[in-house]
Amino acid sequence: MRNMFTGNFENSVNLMRSMLKRDKMYIIIWVVLLVAFSALLAPGVNAMFPDEEARLTVVQIYDNPLMISMMGPIYGKDAPGGFPAGAMYSGFMLVWVILAVSVMNLFYVVRNTRGDEERGRAEVVRSLPVGRLANLNATMLSALIMNTALGLFTGLGIAVMGVEGIGFGGSMLYGLVLGLSGQIFAAITAVFCQLSASPSGAASLSGITLGALYMVRGAGDSAGNDFLACLSPMGLASRSQIYVENYIWPSLVIILLTVIITALAFRLNTIRDLGQGFIAAKPGRAEAKKSMLSPFGLSWRLLRTGLIAWVIIMFMTAASYGSVLGDLPKFIGDSPEYLQVIGIPEAMLDVMSDDAKAEIIVTYFMAFISMMMTLVCIVPAILAAMKPRSEEREGRAEHIIARVVSRWKYMCGFVTLAFILSVIMQFAVAFGLYSVTESILETNPIVFSELLKAYLVYLPAVWVMIGFAVFITGLLPKASSAVWGFYGFVAFLSFIGGMVDLPEVIKGISPMHHIPQLSPTQLPLGELSYPPLIILTVIAAVLTVAGFYFYGKRDTLTGM
Amino acid sequence: MSKASLEITNLTKKFGKFTALNDINLKVTEGEVFGYIGPNGAGKTTTIRVLLGILQATKGQAKVFGLDAWKDAVEIHKRIAYVPGDVNLWPNMTGGEVIDLFVSLRGKHNKTRREKLLKDFDLDPTKKCRTYSKGNRQKVALIAAFASDADLFILDEPTSGLDPLMEQIFQECVLEQKNNGKGVFLSSHILSEVERLCDRVGIIREGKLVETGTLAEMRHLTRNTIHVETEKIVEGFESFKGIFDLKQKQNILTFQVDGNEIGAVMAHLTQHNIKKLESTPPTLEDLFMLHYDTKGG
């Protein structure tokens, strides 16, 4: 029996080395991005809000249940030495960064456990003199290395910035809490990888759990219920009160929980078979629903889950933006930089009453975010329009067009959905914003029909983007990344367009540039003029038709 | 003269500079089972994709039922069923859903046939495609094809992942279609399968069709292996025309002989009083190897 223990873990370290080697890029990219994000934003707090008073004003705005439920509690407002910049930094950042770190761990664990099993690699490894638990053990150990690196570099990175009020001890605790939060989520994912028999099953169960932990924490934080919040690692992490009290006990609790959860994953791994899970894959439909038995039905079946998720997410994002509108005038009324970003001439605000000022700020802010929101809404529309290309590459388009379906009809399902989706997304965002403003603003200056118009006016630009995606799919299928390149260019121009003077010719390449920003209130803002909208629509139509034409004429490229 | 179901004339397909198919000429008559054999990368799948209108011919023509494979693809597809060699399915759909989708995108749905095939091929239609092995994914495509009411079945290495039992079921399905007068275009690696099922065979190598014909015709052109025992010892046999690979142990001879020399050789041997004679026709494998090893025809 002596070998029972060592035998199970045989060769773990070798496996771990090979994992680190093969996932080198995954780890490096995630860690570098996260460290850079945390470190580079640290000086921003002091730059934007140099004194305690400014910080307290901002925090006051965010001190409503909705924002706290999204970001977590902010401590130290009445700290004896004054409200430290660090408290604001960690209050705004910690929960979000933990979410990102959890996602990093989620995919890392899934791909190295279930992913390897599904692809049959685990079987090859198992046939070597390798212990039964070695693979899971190696995954957890390499995750620990990844999280340690993340925590250490984040802590050092923030400390190196030397920001006043963001001290060394607090920064290292911040890093430690991040690393530990990552590791506990690696352990949670490892448990789900034992329960579910497929990588996507394990990933979605872990993802849902992450969402649930975030919400439990949000509910606890916003209601001031510490116990409820502490049921989630994110709630525990917040309770460290980093840069204020720098408590260590939450970290100890997280370590203890991580050990228990990891042990559970190991236990489950020993008693299951390779490739099997505890949650039996429930049998699916033996027969297809009538509704999916057409080219259009198939495209809906393939896209629906993603599309519905996008609509819901954008609705909620819009609602959360709407929720800050009430406090917005106080927040940005006196910040010339902010006014410039959203495009209000400072002089406009000088001679007005507070109410009139508020209305102007709300109007301009809403117009500004309408562009941002639309940019995000373009993403799922492009994804839908390019689906035929990815299906083609995977060799699945062949099944369909080798049957009694013409190429055009095949492509038509996806492209139609992309266009329909583009309209639904604009509606969803407008509804999302309005649903909250109505209850939050005492005197709501927003007129729903105007707000809707302000969003729908972007549609011709969105359609040009869809048309471009169709065009590339038809003419240059191997250059599909050009679509994302163009999208990046358009997004870039949209953001810096208001701040930098660029030649009109360059700005004009972006379809977004030709869309007027309409006022969602009764205040006048951009003027609605039809010719550019009509021209954009025509361009979109030409691109789409040309895309179809070329798609019908070219070879179907399986695997290319 | 029966009508041609497939007719390929001077077909060339290039991918950039690479020539995948080089001047192929091929005719398959209706109701015929045609075996299309060749090693990996020879151009079998490319030929099939051109026939299906998935790829466009660079030069030449491919016609199915007298219609242009590229221009009239949809019209043609109403009468054919296709099984790709590498069956890639949607991981989150069940096998049953995919079968129904495939069948309904062709036309009529024959439910009893679907159930029978599911049973014969022993496939659980309620499982998601991500859980299927290669063989099971192939079964999905095969069931969808054989449940269809097609006149021509185009099958691209359809059995490479099937176990021998399922291979048997597959062969029965093909023979059933053949008996119903349906045509089959079968690209395959498994020569015994081709030998058993196919009326005619085409061999493709490096994009060129090197041989077509019935197995009998092909055998006629090639050498039989003869094993003979005579009473009198045969002398000077090696100088005979058309004799190859001669091995002689006193009165026992083993050799290969060209088809058109066999009469003269036998006449000579008879003079030495044949005691025992075995003649083995070349297997398809021999034919195949002949084309690939010696690069001769």
Side-chain angles (χ1 to χ4, degrees), chain A residues 223-247:
Chain A
N225 184 334
D226 283 335
F227 177 75
L228 190 59
C230 284
L231 292 179
S232 158
M234 284 168 259
L236 275 169
S238 296
R239 301 288 169 302
S240 303
Q241 303 200 14
I242 301 168
Y243 300 114
V244 184
E245 300 286 350
N246 287 340
Y247 289 131

Side-chain angles (χ1 to χ4, degrees), chain A residues 428-447:
Chain A
V429 173
F431 275 123
L433 279 168
Y434 191 72
S435 64
V436 182
T437 51
E438 189 55 25
S439 55
I440 258 189
L441 297 180
E442 283 162 33
T443 48
N444 189 359
I446 293 168
V447 184

